[in-house]
Amino acid sequence: MPTVAIIGGGFSGTVTAVQLLRRAAAPLRVVLIEQSGRFARGLAYGTAHPAHLLNVPAGNMSALADAPDDFVDFCRRSGDAVQPHDFVARGRYGDYLEALLQAAATANPASVLERVSGCAVDLLPPSPQAVVRLADGRQLACDAVVLAFGHGAPRSVLPPQAHALLGERCIDNPWHEPQRISRLPSDARVLLIGAGLTALDMLNSLDASGHRGAIEMLSRRGLPLQSHRAGGAHRSDVNAAALMADIGCSVRQGVRVLRTAIDVAETQGGDWRDVIAALRPHTPGWWQRLPGGERRRFLRHLQPCWDVLRHRCAPVSLAALQRLQATGQLLQHAGRVEGVVPAEWDAIEVALRLRGHSGLQVRRFDAVINCTGPDSRLQNSRSPLVNRLLERGWLCPDALGLGLQSDDGHRPVDNRGRTQPWLRYLGPWLKARDWEAVAVPELRQHAAQVASEVLAASNAGATPEVGRPTRRLGS
Ligand SMILES: Cc1cc2nc3c(=O)[nH]c(=O)nc-3n(C[C@H](O)[C@H](O)[C@H](O)COP(=O)(O)OP(=O)(O)OC[C@H]3O[C@@H](n4cnc5c(N)ncnc54)[C@H](O)[C@@H]3O)c2cc1C
């Protein structure tokens, strides 16, 4: 029976396993390897905090592209009267993924799903089978490997003295040890570095625990978070294909076209959300056509604004933030940290260079949380597996630091421009290739495609050929 090893049992790995089990016409062994011991959760859906909500409406969160109501149906079967425009707790979504995985395994008795708790640290090429090595010395022989190891840890943004002075109240990776957030004194003055969805999660956690201390949120541009429209439905009629044709391969032209399209949407009773949402399915093709210089221009000038408009949050989460702002407990700044010095009583003084102010502003904090989000640069990865594959040359970062180079069959492109036919990748580092690749609506399609590609190779009895030169996407 052919064996497919999937490294990483978060969203991408779990849904790939589900798709393999659903689509396999012949018996198949699927081995899902997960370092945390918790399957079907990953970084996004491992949280049990009820205030951590999905940032996509339930009606667009099916893990199965061909069954759009699957998540809403799951919630309703479980007794929750969820509507497609509702925003459900992310932990509940983890329950859904777990149920989906279990159901796929049960529905295909000819195939086998094995869950292996362990950390993959190396791969050996087929001879005749590929081998996955785990940190504890176990080895798994397999015919195909799917890399689904998720996000890089956030880049450390604080000087070492902040850690030395604040100890466990200096939180570099807020997802890693959420209990450190809940242990903060309720009157602590907290600095959140970053003002996106991670900062919102932290804010919602603090708020839910009755935090009373002042909270300040710092980001380079200080752009305010945006929420989805309550009630959901699109009201304007955006012709996205025509817009993409007008935009062509010019970022500057894109800004002009979008401004006009937003004006039109507003006259039709809609708003900018309709335009941004309509572009989404067209974005990967556009990004792949965009010349390198234009990609750089987009990243330099537009990315912060795009991120805010595109990665919207649940209206109720934003309402909590706005309530804290209205009471003065939360301040939001545009600027950056210039330095950190000790202050009395276990606190630190942070020198901030704020936009629109001359000189430095010094503020006192008892805790700092790094909310800058995952680091997409492979070279900064702390994963032994990623580092090993970089050393072997099997993974290559893209030139813009968005992820890794891969071809249109999800095969990583190595440092000699070749692919390994037994090795595939899916996950957020597809952003290098597609730009739009980090959320469920895209990743569920990639998972279905990867499953088809792996099965096609195994059904055809394709023995691993020597890597062939290939077109580099995302380079
Ligand atoms: C906080 C957060 C909230 C999000 N909310 C939403 C949302 O509401 N809606 C939406 O559409 N998208 C959301 N996203 C985006 C998207 O759904 C996730 O990024 C997606 O879950 C990525 O899935 P993944 O499997 O690639 O990574 P993950 O789900 O993080 O899974 C990777 C898994 O691989 C394991 N792993 C890593 N290395 C190894 C190794 N060497 N050996 C074994 N196991 C390993 C990790 O432990 C982890 O469990 C969110 C993302 C984040 C970070």
Side-chain angles (χ1 to χ4, degrees):
M1 192 185 301
T3 298
V4 181
I6 302 174
I7 300 177
F11 177 85
S12 301
T14 298
V15 180
T16 303
V18 167
Q19 292 288 9
L20 284 167
L21 292 164
R22 286 164 65 104
R23 288 162 187 247
L28 184 71
R29 179 174 169 236
V30 178
V31 184
L32 192 55
I33 304 169
E34 171 54 47
Q35 64 186 6
S36 70
R38 290 189 79 203
F39 290 80
R41 301 275 161 180
L43 187 58
Y45 313 114
T47 173
H49 202 298
H52 292 171
L53 301 183
L54 293 174
N55 53 45
V56 172
N60 204 11
M61 282 297 289
S62 169
L64 307 172
D66 56 356
D69 298 330
D70 202 52
F71 178 55
V72 172
D73 290 346
F74 166 82
C75 293
R76 290 179 179 169
R77 277 197 308 276
S78 321
D80 300 335
V82 164
Q83 298 299 320
H85 56 263
D86 286 344
F87 293 84
V88 176
R90 296 210 300 272
R92 194 83 188 97
Y93 194 75
D95 299 341
Y96 161 65
L97 292 177
E98 171 60 43
L100 202 60
L101 183 63
Q102 196 52 50
T106 311
N108 182 348
S111 295
V112 179
L113 170 70
E114 283 175 34
R115 298 169 190 232
V116 171
S117 289
C119 177
V121 290
D122 198 6
L123 300 181
L124 302 179
S127 173
Q129 282 188 297
V131 172
V132 180
R133 279 198 176 145
L134 302 187
D136 60 11
R138 280 179 290 167
Q139 304 211 12
L140 171 81
C142 56
D143 302 284
V145 176
V146 178
L147 301 173
F149 40 50
H151 300 267
R155 191 165 52 93
S156 190
V157 290
L158 287 165
Q161 67 262 43
H163 290 272
L165 294 165
L166 293 176
E168 78 151 25
R169 286 177 284 117
C170 183
I171 300 170
D172 236 348
N173 185 344
W175 295 304
H176 189 48
E177 289 178 275
Q179 64 280 14
R180 280 166 67 177
I181 314 278
S182 51
R183 282 202 296 264
L184 290 177
S186 66
D187 58 353
R189 292 157 296 186
V190 181
L191 173 63
L192 304 178
I193 299 182
L197 296 173
T198 306
L200 186 62
D201 267 2
M202 296 309 122
L203 207 57
N204 288 142
S205 299
L206 291 167
D207 187 38
S209 67
H211 193 82
R212 290 178 287 108
I215 304 171
E216 301 193 34
M217 201 157 76
L218 178 75
S219 64
R220 284 288 167 104
R221 306 252 183 130
L223 296 172
L225 269 166
Q226 300 292 331
S227 73
H228 291 272
R229 196 164 36 213
H234 291 182
R235 283 177 291 178
S236 57
D237 196 9
V238 180
N239 183 343
L243 283 186
M244 294 315 285
D246 286 350
I247 291 170
C249 287
S250 159
V251 168
R252 188 169 292 165
Q253 169 75 357
V255 173
R256 272 196 293 268
V257 169
L258 292 189
R259 282 205 175 119
T260 308
I262 289 167
D263 288 345
V264 172
E266 284 172 354
T267 62
Q268 295 172 348
D271 66 19
W272 55 270
R273 294 175 182 81
D274 305 318
V275 177
I276 302 294
L279 294 181
R280 192 165 169 176
H282 302 268
T283 309
W286 176 71
W287 187 254
Q288 287 166 18
R289 288 193 299 276
L290 209 58
E294 286 298 300
R295 289 185 185 185
R296 284 194 172 80
R297 191 191 298 268
F298 176 87
L299 295 175
R300 193 162 50 243
H301 300 295
L302 286 187
Q303 181 180 9
C305 181
W306 177 265
D307 283 350
V308 161
L309 299 181
R310 171 54 200 88
H311 298 288
R312 301 186 291 276
C313 61
V316 64
S317 306
L318 188 62
L321 177 149
Q322 288 167 338
R323 175 172 43 77
L324 295 174
Q325 272 176 329
T327 62
Q329 189 182 356
L330 172 67
L331 294 178
Q332 183 167 359
H333 309 292
R336 60 177 195 269
V337 173
E338 284 283 330
V340 170
V341 293
E344 54 189 339
W345 305 115
D346 268 5
I348 54 171
E349 282 188 343
V350 180
L352 302 175
R353 187 168 298 283
L354 301 183
R355 278 193 169 206
H357 291 77
S358 58
L360 294 176
Q361 309 279 311
V362 177
R363 299 275 211 285
R364 193 167 285 198
F365 295 103
D366 307 297
V368 183
I369 308 177
N370 178 2
C371 300
T372 54
D375 189 349
S376 59
R377 287 170 203 270
L378 270 69
Q379 306 92 313
N380 295 346
S381 174
R382 281 168 248 157
S383 154
L385 178 63
V386 172
N387 290 330
R388 193 75 187 105
L389 298 184
L390 282 171
E391 273 166 34
R392 286 184 185 280
W394 290 354
L395 298 184
C396 265
D398 71 307
L400 301 176
L402 300 175
L404 59 75
Q405 296 185 39
S406 59
D407 73 358
D408 44 10
H410 297 95
R411 285 169 292 235
V413 176
D414 73 14
N415 60 1
R416 292 161 69 190
R418 304 176 316 175
T419 56
Q420 310 289 333
W422 52 277
L423 185 63
R424 307 212 180 230
Y425 167 82
L426 86 159
W429 284 343
L430 286 176
K431 196 169 179 181
R433 195 188 79 170
D434 287 357
W435 179 250
E436 187 68 77
V438 300
V440 164
E442 285 74 32
L443 287 176
R444 66 186 172 200
Q445 291 183 2
H446 288 294
Q449 285 161 12
V450 165
S452 300
E453 289 155 4
V454 168
L455 290 172
S458 80
N459 288 347
T463 45
E465 52 189 273
V466 176
R468 63 184 170 86
T470 187
R471 186 163 69 100
R472 279 176 197 241
L473 297 172
S475 55

